[in-house]
Amino acid sequence: MADSGVLLKRGSCRSTWLRVRKARPQLILSRRPRRRLGSLRWCGRRRLRRRLLQAQAAGVDWREGARQVSRAAAARRPNTATPSPIPSPTPASEPESEPEFESASSCHWPLLIPPVRPVGPGRALLLLPVEQGFTFSGICRVTCLYGQVQVFGFTISQGQPAQDIFSVYTHSCLSIHALHYSLPEESKKELKREARNLLKSHLNLDDRRWSMQNFSPQCSIVLLEHLKTATVNFITSYPGSSYIFVQESPAPQIKPEYLALRSVGIRREKKRKGLQLTESTLSALEELVNVSCEEVDGCPVILVCGSQDVGKSTFNRYLINQLLNSLPCVDYLECDLGQTEFTPPGCISLLNITEPVLGPPFTHLRTPQKMVYYGKPSCKNNYENYIDIVKYVFSAYKRESPLIVNTMGWVSDQGLLLLIDLIRLLSPSHVVQFRSDHSKYMPDLTPQYVDDMDGLYTKSKTKMRNRRFRLAAFADALEFADEEKESPVEFTGHKLIGVYTDFAFRITPRNRESHNKILRDLSILSYLSQLQPPMPKPLSPLHSLTPYQVPFNAVALRITHSDVAPTHILYAVNASWVGLCKIQDDVRGYTNGPILLAQTPICDCLGFGICRGIDMEKRLYHILTPVPPEELRTVNCLLVGAIAIPHCVLKCQHGIEGTVPYVTTDYNFKLPGASEKIGAREPEEAHKEKPYRRPKFCRKMK
């Protein structure tokens, strides 16, 4: 250590030595190697540092190895005096490995960087030592051949089906982590024989030999395969969307590992780019999983709230995957209109999740148990309708599995009061409140705070005047009466769990709206991809698909977000995103149509479609939708909201010659219904932010 003190006084190689010393404080260099270190170039120092780290991680005494090299050199030089031996601590005793696990390439050293081996076109083999991770970007299909790994909280064991993983550019990179698993009471030779038998059906002889050479107990062997789905092909067929799934390296590499991963469709990333969970997040996940798996109370209601961009959706996905490791299904109530998880935007839905979610929302759309189309990405200035829809959807929850409730990121002013109403309405057992350094201030939603605060439609306990209203009372009526708005719902209390997050955000208040709009467009494209034939058939442009013909008198129409003159209703419906709904009223008594509704109904939404044309002569709507025909027979209402068709669908269709339909640069925004600002029902003074304008599409009809 005296040498180290002398070395720090030297200015020439101080920074170089500090970098090596900082990497592993346990590494101590003698005076001569330190002098040599100062004369090495950066590549030589990098190789030396890697070797020292490998030796230190392996638990061997690298100084003993250096002394043996020095003695061998001294034997070749008899005139050189033999240096005095350096005392070294006795290395920790380790159990000896049997010969079948030894190889010249491994030398008992752990694999600090998991090796990757190509095993065929679009296939690669990944060998992960225990507690090691592999962070990547791109999409692939993962099969655990031996051992046990975890991806985004979901555990994949040997013998389980392959899982499709989407580590895309719009979200944090995912990682494959090798887990500890219990080994049977067998000898190492028997374990190796068992692993070889498991690999026979997936790998050839050479690949199995390579695996056995690098095999060690508690390791995991993972097969990575190229993934192509109709959803991926459809989204990437539009310009500007291909970068979402796969990003090319800025500098092309010719390393074998890079080429093997590139054939799969992924790229190795640094660990810091992967998902990093804080201690409070892990603690909350562990507590909620334990509560959900208890037999006494196995159906908790977990409400997740917090400001925008604090990780609520990421937490929900991770929690769903963790619960699916122990439970067969998890219920999910979506109350966030702008960033929905399993449906297109603008919906409030209840779903039963049985498969893990290993990607962003646009990669795992599901069919909900109950869904209502609200029609806008925000509920501002129409709170009562939002509350009524939440009650209507929540009434379908049967309390047979844990329920996760996702809420909006609007937690200030009236948004906070609306959140208090939701807590009283849903009566959750646990409230997970997120906060971060960059988020807006939000008071702690303790049971006492919720009891003492007035909501938009419920009153605090101090103002109840001995009038209580139980959740079971309006579970039958499912609507707020005038006298009920002054009466609070009886709130049984909840447990508040605080979570602090610290993400490296690329989203700023300036680009947040455009980022959210991109995610909404991707969800719509993912839904439209259900129109495509299954792989490996080629893609079919949307304009080449045959639409359904719906008579005017078979469905009713309603514009949900603004008032439109009856003479312009069909102009607003044409080339629009429509919700296919089912109302209780019979609309088949009218002869001609179109049938217009005076109020927006609260009804079940069975799916969505595009009104790609209107035939005025035959009085038909031409609807393009992936909803099955047996469900379309029950549709009798079309709802049109502020959710617009992505521009790329209209402007970038393949195979169109000449003028592109429904696209123009000369558009009159003064037409009623042409924008949300003109003809909106809400007072214009209530809008504090710039109104959302509909795209410049020319409404043409046949």
Side-chain angles (χ1 to χ4, degrees), residues 433-462:
Q433 183 174 351
F434 278 77
R435 58 171 52 89
S436 64
D437 293 336
H438 70 278
S439 61
K440 295 181 180 180
Y441 170 75
M442 182 180 178
D444 293 339
L445 299 179
T446 61
Q448 183 66 29
Y449 180 85
V450 175
D451 289 340
D452 297 340
M453 282 292 296
D454 291 340
L456 288 178
Y457 298 97
T458 58
K459 298 298 181 180
S460 63
K461 282 188 175 181
T462 58

Side-chain angles (χ1 to χ4, degrees), residues 310-359:
V310 293
K312 299 189 300 295
S313 299
T314 302
F315 179 85
N316 290 337
R317 297 185 205 113
Y318 204 97
L319 178 58
I320 290 174
N321 293 335
Q322 288 270 286
L323 292 176
L324 290 178
N325 291 331
S326 306
L327 302 175
C329 60
V330 179
D331 286 338
Y332 187 88
L333 178 61
E334 182 62 79
C335 299
D336 189 355
L337 297 170
Q339 301 299 325
T340 54
E341 185 69 30
F342 299 100
T343 64
C347 299
I348 298 175
S349 59
L350 177 68
L351 301 98
N352 186 261
I353 309 301
T354 58
E355 298 292 335
V357 286
L358 303 176

Side-chain angles (χ1 to χ4, degrees), residues 119-144:
V119 292
R123 303 170 79 230
L125 197 63
L126 176 66
L127 195 145
L128 284 172
V130 65
E131 294 185 351
Q132 292 257 350
F134 175 76
T135 305
F136 68 97
S137 62
I139 59 176
C140 65
R141 179 164 293 167
V142 173
T143 305
C144 185

